Amino acid sequence: MATRIIDITRRRLLRGAAGFSLALPFLPSLAERTALGDPVYTRPRRLFWFATDHGGAFENNMFPDVATLTTRQEYLPGHTIGSGPLAGTPDGDRVVVSPILSGKATSLTPSMVGKMNVLRGLDCPFFILHNTGLHLGNYAANISTAGDGFEAQKSPRPTIDQLLAWSPSFYRDVSTIRQRSMIMSSGRELSSNWSDPSHRSGTIQNVRGIDSSRDLFNSIFVPADAGKPQRPPIVDRILESYKTLRDGNRRLSSSDKQRLSDHIDRLNELERRLNVKASCGNVMVPTDDAKSHQKIDATDAVTHWRLFCDVVVAAFLCGTSRIAVAGVGSTEKFVGFQGDWHPDVAHQWQLPDKQKLLSDSYQHFFEGVFLDAAHKLDIEEAPGVSYLDNTLMAWSQESCMATHSSISVPIVTMGSAGGYFKTGIYADYRNVVDSKARWDPGAGHTMWLGILYNQWLANVLLSMGLAPADFELWGHKGYGLPLVTRETYPPLLLQHYQGASSSYFQMASTPLPFLT
């Protein structure tokens, strides 16, 4: 049967905080033709990533009960992994997937649980210490002054959001794209890229985020007079002069050639954005700004991030961006904690009162921000398919249960990335049958090594339409540095992962079991 794309003429209205609203038609320019076969609806995939600091939540607070892992299979000889269906347990007017992953029954509905995944047993195989780079693949972004983390600083990488943002496999058409990747929070160095991203050259630099949701709005939406004729790009007018300077001046050093190339590249991207044309319907400028909500107060913290999420959701629906990264950072504001969260709470995760603060802060973030954003995206994009279905929302934490360590980093997702991922799954990649994979982080807790976080990042890229050849740019599988610990904390990392030639690294570009 020939492929057919069916137009939907019904208009939709997106409502957000502080008077923000957006009337939207169906946007046929976003529809991609599918392969021959049944008449299905395909839309460009989207990525919305939330990153929080520290970790520190007890695993029995973060993850569902292991009794729900009803399926077992062998990942590698001697390494058995498990999965099971996610389920919410009623508790009064609330539903509990885990103590942290809980919410009101009207919000955490069976449908939303069915669009969710929880991943356990994803490891960074070296001691990375405090960092902002693990989330999205630039392991060099850490604060170490010696050891493993310092070694990783020698090999910076672009983060996966930027790799996607500049990939023609992801953005096949940028004619409506105002921001390739929306980065929120300037204080978190989560996103990084080449200084000349279009040529994948130059130094790896931090991509600065935005602190104002109103500024983000202004950077995303097309002005009313956007239909005016395009002016000839400045780059075109100076191209010959640029080539003469770059190629004909022997005094120009290689580093200055790179600086010149970087400058022209940035100018070209700026002019492309200024000439973007898009059909966004009737857009009302928001009257409130996330920048005005930065108090140490739980309600204010939720409002801050909801205002950002309103803009992201509207941009996704409008088609002026398809990538967003929210650097939520430390979560003390979600419980109104007055003090120094890092030493007074995060580093004392083993103590019952500190554990309650950590777990409560994550629960408030999950219900108030992450789940709320999922609901805002869960509106029909095509018959039987929502914007959330065509998006991958992901929440990652800086560390695991033991702060400073990155064994079994929790990952929570919503959406299937256009059907790439199965959903409604609790996947546990830990090797709980091998005593050599067991680690005691203290306070009577036991942790088990699993598989590489690098493989998870590769799976995100695969789900967004990239092929391994698009991200295996440094001669290794997966995404992220293939470094195995050279320290003694914990010593079983070296024994388990062995080195970059081990099977764990060789499988790091393959689809994750249970999910695809």
Side-chain angles (χ1 to χ4, degrees):
M1 183 185 300
T3 302
R4 55 194 176 98
I5 299 294
I6 300 176
D7 193 6
I8 304 169
T9 58
R10 183 171 68 246
R11 294 175 68 85
R12 303 177 180 84
L13 185 67
L14 171 70
R15 291 187 177 91
F20 182 97
S21 65
L22 177 65
L24 294 168
F26 171 64
L27 304 175
S29 64
L30 297 186
E32 294 181 348
R33 291 190 175 273
T34 64
L36 295 181
D38 292 337
V40 296
Y41 303 91
T42 304
R43 298 291 178 270
R45 297 166 183 177
R46 307 171 185 92
L47 179 65
F48 192 178
W49 200 289
F50 296 82
T52 57
D53 288 352
H54 297 305
F58 285 173
E59 291 193 312
N60 58 1
N61 286 332
M62 185 71 220
F63 295 109
D65 194 324
V66 294
T68 63
L69 299 168
T70 54
T71 299
R72 293 283 177 182
Q73 74 177 56
E74 191 175 66
Y75 177 76
L76 287 171
H79 188 156
T80 300
I81 57 180
S83 74
L86 278 181
T89 302
D91 183 14
D93 65 347
R94 299 181 65 78
V95 169
V96 178
V97 175
S98 74
I100 288 172
L101 306 177
S102 62
K104 291 182 178 179
T106 54
S107 184
L108 194 54
T109 62
S111 174
M112 294 306 288
V113 174
K115 296 187 179 189
M116 182 175 168
N117 285 331
V118 179
L119 311 184
R120 186 176 187 177
L122 298 169
D123 303 342
C124 174
F126 64 91
F127 186 42
I128 194 171
L129 196 64
H130 279 303
N131 71 91
T132 55
L134 176 66
H135 300 279
L136 293 165
N138 182 20
Y139 295 0
N142 67 75
I143 66 167
S144 297
T145 57
D148 292 344
F150 186 72
E151 182 69 20
Q153 293 171 17
K154 301 174 185 177
S155 302
R157 302 278 192 268
T159 46
I160 60 169
D161 64 301
Q162 295 299 327
L163 199 69
L164 287 170
W166 291 84
S167 169
S169 298
F170 180 79
Y171 278 133
R172 298 180 182 179
D173 179 3
V174 293
S175 61
T176 69
I177 302 301
R178 284 294 295 271
Q179 285 278 13
R180 292 176 182 265
S181 180
M182 298 174 285
I183 312 298
M184 292 154 280
S185 180
S186 63
R188 312 306 300 158
E189 295 189 0
L190 287 168
S191 186
S192 56
N193 206 359
W194 286 287
S195 57
D196 184 354
S198 64
H199 297 100
R200 292 183 168 183
S201 65
T203 58
I204 302 297
Q205 301 177 345
N206 174 54
V207 179
R208 185 175 173 83
I210 291 176
D211 288 324
S212 162
S213 57
R214 187 173 292 150
D215 287 350
L216 181 62
F217 175 89
N218 292 335
S219 76
I220 289 299
F221 287 98
V222 180
D225 62 350
K228 64 185 179 182
Q230 289 187 336
R231 64 181 183 181
I234 292 175
V235 171
D236 287 356
R237 296 185 230 174
I238 65 169
L239 190 58
E240 287 305 317
S241 178
Y242 157 67
K243 288 180 177 178
T244 299
L245 176 59
R246 183 194 63 187
D247 301 331
N249 193 322
R250 295 182 179 179
R251 293 180 56 192
L252 196 65
S253 67
S254 59
S255 59
D256 279 345
K257 284 184 179 181
Q258 184 64 59
R259 291 189 188 97
L260 181 61
S261 178
D262 295 348
H263 178 74
I264 294 297
D265 195 62
R266 285 191 289 269
L267 181 60
N268 194 44
E269 175 65 9
L270 174 62
E271 291 213 286
R272 183 201 66 76
R273 289 167 52 191
L274 291 174
N275 286 318
V276 157
K277 295 182 179 180
S279 176
C280 296
N282 301 318
V283 181
M284 182 177 292
V285 178
T287 58
D288 201 357
D289 190 351
K291 202 170 184 178
S292 301
H293 297 272
Q294 300 190 76
K295 293 184 294 185
I296 300 177
D297 174 81
T299 300
D300 214 49
V302 168
T303 300
H304 175 93
W305 285 106
R306 283 186 176 182
L307 286 165
F308 269 122
C309 289
D310 286 342
V311 179
V312 171
V313 172
F316 281 6
L317 269 62
C318 183
T320 48
S321 185
R322 286 166 44 205
I323 303 172
V325 174
V328 178
S330 193
T331 53
E332 67 267 25
K333 291 181 180 180
F334 287 94
V335 288
F337 178 80
Q338 300 280 348
D340 195 334
W341 185 261
H342 174 219
D344 295 343
V345 177
H347 276 218
Q348 300 184 51
W349 58 272
Q350 307 97 326
L351 302 179
D353 58 333
K354 312 302 184 184
Q355 180 59 211
K356 179 170 173 49
L357 284 169
L358 281 163
S359 295
D360 285 353
S361 75
Y362 294 141
Q363 192 282 319
H364 294 164
F365 162 76
F366 170 76
E367 183 176 7
V369 179
F370 190 78
L371 185 58
D372 182 74
H375 273 284
K376 288 172 179 174
L377 283 170
D378 199 32
I379 60 174
E380 187 180 81
E381 183 171 12
V385 180
S386 73
Y387 285 87
L388 177 61
D389 296 329
N390 292 320
T391 299
L392 176 65
M393 287 180 55
W395 170 25
S396 61
Q397 296 182 28
E398 175 191 1
S399 302
C400 63
M401 176 171 67
T403 56
H404 282 195
S405 300
S406 302
I407 293 171
S408 197
V409 175
I411 295 291
V412 181
T413 71
M414 285 281 191
S416 67
Y420 182 87
F421 290 115
K422 298 177 184 178
T423 57
I425 293 171
Y426 172 30
D428 185 356
Y429 300 114
R430 298 173 305 153
N431 187 9
V432 297
V433 299
D434 185 352
S435 61
K436 295 190 296 294
R438 177 175 173 168
W439 177 48
D440 179 6
H445 293 273
T446 297
M447 300 187 73
W448 303 82
L449 297 185
I451 65 177
L452 291 166
Y453 190 86
N454 305 46
Q455 188 168 356
W456 158 241
L457 293 177
N459 271 245
V460 175
L461 295 170
L462 291 170
S463 76
M464 294 292 124
L466 271 62
D470 296 321
F471 57 81
E472 292 176 352
L473 303 177
W474 295 272
H476 59 80
K477 306 290 185 181
Y479 200 81
L481 186 65
L483 175 67
V484 178
T485 187
R486 300 179 184 184
E487 299 188 41
T488 58
Y489 178 72
L492 57 111
L493 275 171
L494 181 59
Q495 186 177 12
H496 182 74
Y497 286 110
Q498 300 173 21
S501 62
S502 73
S503 297
Y504 290 100
F505 283 96
Q506 293 308 305
M507 295 175 66
S509 292
T510 61
L512 282 166
F514 308 126
L515 297 185
T516 57

